Amino acid sequence: MSSFTNDKNKVIDLRKIGMFFMYLLGDFNFFASASDDIEQSLNIMTEFCLNINVNPDILRFPAYLLTADSPNYHTANHLLKTTIRNLSTETIKTSSTNVCITEKAWAILKSMLNCEQVHLGSSSLLLSALLHTNPSQIPVKEILTRLKSENLNELPIGLEGIAGYILVLGQANYSKKLNHIIVKLCHEVLQRVVSFHGKRKILTYNNGSGRISPYLYDGISGFLVSLCYQRDFDTKKLISQFQPEIASPFCKSGCAWDGLAGLALTNLIILNMNGSSDQHPLRIIKNQLLGSLQYLVFRHGEPKCVDFNTHLIVNSYSRGSQSIFDIISLYLTQKEEFNK
């Protein structure tokens, strides 16, 4: 590999281990050598892993050995142990049977919200902080006071806006008393429904911008997720009306917070909520995850994502590779449950 020509002997030994891992996984070292392109080879391997029901997270090990500027044995050994643990049958069995998929999805959402420091609309009340408290600790009065001061027309329908309020109020201890407020917020979202090429869409804002978004942070996925976690009334009929709008296998980004992986997560939550045995939604989710993997870049020893707006490489939880791998883990768990 031309990129290895200036490496010292110790580093070359580690590079060889990385190439050997590529060989063991499926002779991908031959393509890497022939094309002289490590990154493209790793990208192909991510899709291969998903197709054989293995989380591409295991590729952190060869990615570190092959793309880090100066890999070391200590870090390589740690990543190898993690890879072996993730591949063990005991770990797979534990992950697929002991934890409810909806709860694992909730944990992913909380991690993203915490990472993004999400505000409730224009207020300084962090949604992330609310999601880490017990229902009895949610400051409902403060939330309602701030909600009254909001210009709903200027709020997006996703988790950074109206859906954020719906989600938090639905988790409050006495949310039955808040149902009329939640219904009012849902009505505000439904007032934005428009017909576009014969299909029903929901405008992100009600300010004349005409923007339509499928994403978690500002769009329909965020709204649908907030409906999924309502404890006191049935939202399945409303969800079913708009779920087709998040079935696309293409997006501007592969990230979870503002990209394709977030659509896959939303579809997974809905699939689990419905308790359906239909395999079609699972195929949609797989295609979305395959699409999200295509956006990964391998730089400085790690798989990372590129921010669509800034074109900068990002590796935060909500916009980076780890949330994608966590969603893939959830998908593989769901698939295993279907195959039982």
Side-chain angles (χ1 to χ4, degrees):
M1 302 295 296
S2 60
S3 57
F4 302 161
T5 53
N6 296 323
D7 290 335
K8 297 179 180 180
N9 288 337
K10 288 184 177 180
V11 173
I12 289 176
D13 289 341
L14 290 173
R15 305 287 196 206
K16 289 180 179 178
I17 295 172
M19 294 292 282
F20 183 62
F21 187 94
M22 296 179 84
Y23 163 74
L24 292 175
L25 194 60
D27 289 347
F28 290 100
N29 59 311
F30 293 108
F31 177 81
S33 299
S35 64
D36 197 28
D37 192 333
I38 286 293
E39 185 171 344
Q40 186 179 2
S41 303
L42 289 168
N43 278 121
I44 294 173
M45 290 171 71
T46 61
E47 296 183 37
F48 174 78
C49 283
L50 186 59
N51 281 321
I52 63 170
N53 300 322
V54 172
N55 196 324
D57 195 20
I58 66 167
L59 298 181
R60 289 187 181 278
F61 174 62
Y64 173 72
L65 295 176
L66 297 170
T67 67
D69 297 331
S70 184
N72 63 75
Y73 283 96
H74 176 74
T75 304
N77 186 50
H78 171 72
L79 288 171
L80 178 59
K81 289 180 178 178
T82 302
T83 299
I84 293 172
R85 185 169 64 249
N86 290 343
L87 284 171
S88 70
T89 55
E90 184 175 350
T91 300
I92 295 172
K93 182 179 178 181
T94 301
S95 68
S96 65
T97 57
N98 290 350
V99 184
C100 174
I101 289 175
T102 305
E103 292 176 356
K104 294 173 74 174
W106 182 250
I108 293 172
L109 282 169
K110 287 198 295 185
S111 296
M112 284 196 288
L113 293 164
N114 187 55
C115 176
E116 288 295 321
Q117 297 287 289
V118 173
H119 295 66
L120 282 179
S122 59
S123 76
S124 60
L125 188 61
L126 296 179
L127 179 57
S128 58
L130 297 179
L131 291 176
H132 281 282
T133 62
N134 294 324
S136 61
Q137 296 173 320
I138 295 177
V140 174
K141 290 183 179 180
E142 185 179 355
I143 294 172
L144 295 180
T145 299
R146 299 194 179 193
L147 178 58
K148 289 179 181 179
S149 67
E150 296 281 13
N151 181 356
L152 294 182
N153 289 334
E154 296 297 327
L155 291 185
I157 63 173
L159 292 175
E160 284 190 348
I162 296 174
Y165 280 108
I166 295 172
L167 184 62
V168 173
L169 293 176
Q171 296 303 305
N173 237 2
Y174 42 98
S175 57
K176 287 184 179 180
K177 297 180 180 180
L178 301 173
N179 276 358
H180 70 284
I181 297 176
I182 295 173
V183 170
K184 182 180 178 181
L185 290 171
C186 290
H187 181 68
E188 169 62 32
V189 173
L190 296 177
Q191 283 185 318
R192 305 183 187 186
V193 173
V194 295
S195 178
F196 185 75
H197 294 304
K199 296 181 180 180
R200 298 180 80 203
K201 307 279 186 178
I202 305 179
L203 296 175
T204 301
Y205 297 93
N206 196 21
N207 58 6
S209 66
R211 185 165 177 264
I212 296 173
S213 168
Y215 306 119
L216 280 172
Y217 81 105
D218 70 343
I220 183 64
S221 287
F223 176 56
L224 295 181
V225 161
S226 72
L227 295 179
C228 288
Y229 286 97
Q230 295 303 306
R231 298 182 300 176
D232 295 322
F233 57 94
D234 189 0
T235 58
K236 290 182 180 180
K237 185 176 180 180
L238 181 57
I239 290 170
S240 66
Q241 293 181 40
F242 297 101
Q243 188 183 4
E245 303 310 315
I246 57 167
S248 172
F250 308 105
C251 272
K252 67 179 184 181
S253 162
C255 302
W257 186 241
D258 57 356
L260 200 52
L263 276 64
L265 176 61
T266 306
N267 279 313
L268 271 168
I269 294 170
I270 295 171
L271 177 61
N272 187 255
M273 180 188 73
N274 289 335
S276 170
S277 59
D278 184 6
Q279 293 280 351
H280 180 65
L282 211 56
R283 288 192 289 269
I284 291 174
I285 293 164
K286 179 183 178 180
N287 288 333
Q288 290 177 329
L289 291 172
L290 285 170
S292 69
L293 290 172
Q294 293 176 358
Y295 287 91
L296 291 182
V297 296
F298 292 85
R299 305 288 164 81
H300 307 297
E302 292 183 80
K304 300 179 179 180
C305 295
V306 179
D307 185 89
F308 176 81
N309 296 308
T310 65
H311 297 168
L312 298 175
I313 292 177
V314 291
N315 204 31
S316 64
Y317 181 79
S318 58
R319 301 172 191 260
S321 61
Q322 188 56 57
S323 56
I324 296 175
F325 294 144
D326 286 348
I327 295 168
I328 288 174
S329 176
L330 203 63
Y331 158 77
L332 293 174
T333 300
Q334 182 74 75
K335 185 175 182 181
E336 187 173 339
E337 291 294 324
F338 268 37
N339 292 334
K340 285 184 178 180

